[in-house]
């Protein structure tokens, strides 16, 4: 007999856990729909041609490939078909072998399938197109706390507009969800690819841009010494690394950091992204307006102020944030819960041409994702879940014998018709056993309906948490429980 098990990096969820997860989903779904996002679902399987090349080399290695179905191996052995793989194929390596044995893969995220969907349905969509998507994704990663091979993402994206109002609303949605979940000690970090590009220019364009950004993004994990060593190994000079940390180490509030970084760019002779008016004599012209990344961050901040955003102490401009290097082109977001040892629980950014690889160039979009599994772990670590039983049942009706069991069925139907989750204990048995069942399942109320109660036309209502009992006429039970 085989011992039952599940694949490493996957989990079962019991009823109580599912109830808690559904609570998180409901808060996120309600927020998405409040901001005008419509639901969308895409297949679990995508063609590998859709997935590969969208996440960088590391992402491609983490894709779960699915072997082609069919009995072609049996037919090969019988000599009924030409061998699928020749010795020359095997010598050529994975790039030749893989397309012949695996044409599909499990989706790695929800953004690329969304871009594929937009390109395929361009003629029927109304732009700007807003959608949210809440589905599982898979990554062949090394399992550890907060990192799983199968996990859920909850994405919201809008494509077909360059408006920075979308970026501001991402901050508003992030803040609303975490506040409603009771996760008040969070930080929303924001950066811009333009700022990262200007930092690279301030270093004189030394070394490879991608190497620089990858190293910067590891700063909170390996520290300054670790980043310095990595950059030295990549060929960056020590004076250049010192300049880098002087730029990344700017301090102050949101606007102070922007202006101090601007001063560093001007001192380093970084050319503006925008064009200054050649005939302007205004010496007070704001230099921030000529650096795209800094300018757009200022505009997002202003839009949040105009929207009545009250949690600017939770919003941090972080020039070291460099996620999504393979496709983000504008603002970048990331959220961390500060009082839990956990990685980011949400993130996203602006992408200007993700649909271009699917034949629909020039469509800008911006979106973000909540990592439900990490949010769950944070809520559990902080003991923020309310008491949740193993069942949605709110009322248990007792079952003394066959006759009384049948006599309670009309009341059971009335309770359910009134929207009260209720169940009748299925077997006639001792009352203490039924109370124990209700307590173990987290059912808050038990209606005692024995032969004596039914003969008197009443029901005893027992509140399991306190042990208090009340006697109500049968005709008033439903009204009392819905009041």
């Amino acid at each position: 007999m085989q011992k039952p098990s599940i694949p490493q990096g996957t989990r079962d969820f019991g009823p109580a856990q599912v109830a808690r997860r559904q609570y998180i989903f409901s808060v996120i779904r309600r927020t998405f729909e409040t901001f005008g996002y419509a639901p969308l679902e895409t297949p679990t399987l995508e063609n590998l041609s859709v997935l590969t090349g969208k996440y960088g080399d590391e992402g491609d290695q983490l894709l779960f490939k699915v072997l082609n179905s069919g009995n072609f191996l049996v037919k090969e052995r019988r000599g009924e078909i030409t061998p699928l793989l020749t010795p020359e194929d095997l010598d050529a390596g994975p790039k030749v072998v893989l397309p012949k044995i695996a044409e599909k893969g499990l989706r790695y995220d929800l953004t690329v399938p969304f871009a594929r969907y937009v390109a395929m349905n361009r003629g029927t969509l109304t732009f700007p197109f807003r959608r949210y998507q809440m589905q599982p994704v898979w990554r062949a990663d090394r399992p550890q706390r907060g990192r799983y091979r199968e996990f859920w993402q909850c994405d919201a994206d809008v494509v077909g507009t360059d408006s920075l109002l979308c970026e501001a609303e991402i901050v508003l949605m992030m803040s609303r969800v975490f506040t409603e979940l009771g996760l008040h000690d969070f930080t929303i970090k924001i950066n811009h690819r333009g700022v990262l590009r200007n930092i690279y220019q301030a270093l004189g364009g030394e070394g490879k841009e991608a190497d620089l950004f990858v190293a910067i993004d590891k700063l909170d994990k390996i520290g300054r010494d670790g980043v310095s060593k990595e950059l030295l190994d990549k060929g960056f000079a020590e004076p250049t690394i010192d300049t880098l940390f002087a730029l990344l180490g700017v301090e102050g509030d949101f606007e102070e950091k922007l202006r101090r970084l601007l001063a560093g760019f001007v001192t380093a002779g970084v050319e503006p992204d925008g064009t200054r008016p050649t005939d302007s004599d205004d010496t007070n012209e704001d230099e921030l307006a000529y650096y795209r990344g800094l300018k757009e961050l200022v505009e997002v901040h202003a839009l949040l102020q105009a929207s009545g955003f009250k949690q600017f102490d939770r919003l941090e401009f972080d020039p070291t944030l460099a996620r999504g290097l393979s496709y983000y082109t504008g603002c970048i977001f990331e959220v961390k819960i500060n009082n839990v040892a956990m990685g980011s629980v949400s993130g996203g950014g602006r992408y200007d041409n993700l649909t271009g690889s699917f034949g629909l160039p020039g469509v800008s979009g911006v979106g973000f994702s909540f990592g439900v599994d990490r949010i769950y772990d944070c809520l559990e670590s902080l003991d923020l879940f309310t008491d949740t039983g193993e069942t949605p049942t709110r009322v248990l009706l007792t079952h003394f014998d066959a006759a009384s069991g049948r006599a309670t069925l009309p009341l059971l139907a009335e309770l359910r018709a009134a929207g009260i989750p209720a169940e009748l204990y299925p077997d006639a048995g001792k009352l203490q056993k039924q109370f124990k069942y209700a307590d173990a399942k987290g059912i808050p109320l038990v209606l005692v309906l024995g032969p004596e109660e039914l003969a008197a036309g009443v029901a005893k209502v027992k509140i399991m948490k306190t042990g208090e009992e009340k006697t109500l006429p049968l005709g008033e039970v439903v009204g009392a429980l819905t009041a």
Side-chain angles (χ1 to χ4, degrees), residues 8 17 24 27 75 80 134-135 159 182 203 296 324 346 348 362 378 397 412 425 436:
Q8 190 178 21
Q17 293 170 302
I24 299 172
V27 171
K75 291 181 178 181
E80 297 174 9
M134 302 170 67
Q135 290 183 279
V159 294
L203 303 181
E296 292 193 356
S346 180
C378 289
L397 282 66
L412 178 63
Y425 193 79
K436 186 176 180 181

Side-chain angles (χ1 to χ4, degrees), residues 454-476:
L454 289 169
V458 299
K460 288 181 181 178
V461 182
K462 181 171 182 177
I463 302 172
M464 294 300 295
K465 189 172 184 179
T466 63
E468 180 185 358
E469 288 189 3
K470 296 180 180 180
T471 301
L472 295 173
L474 286 175
E476 297 179 12

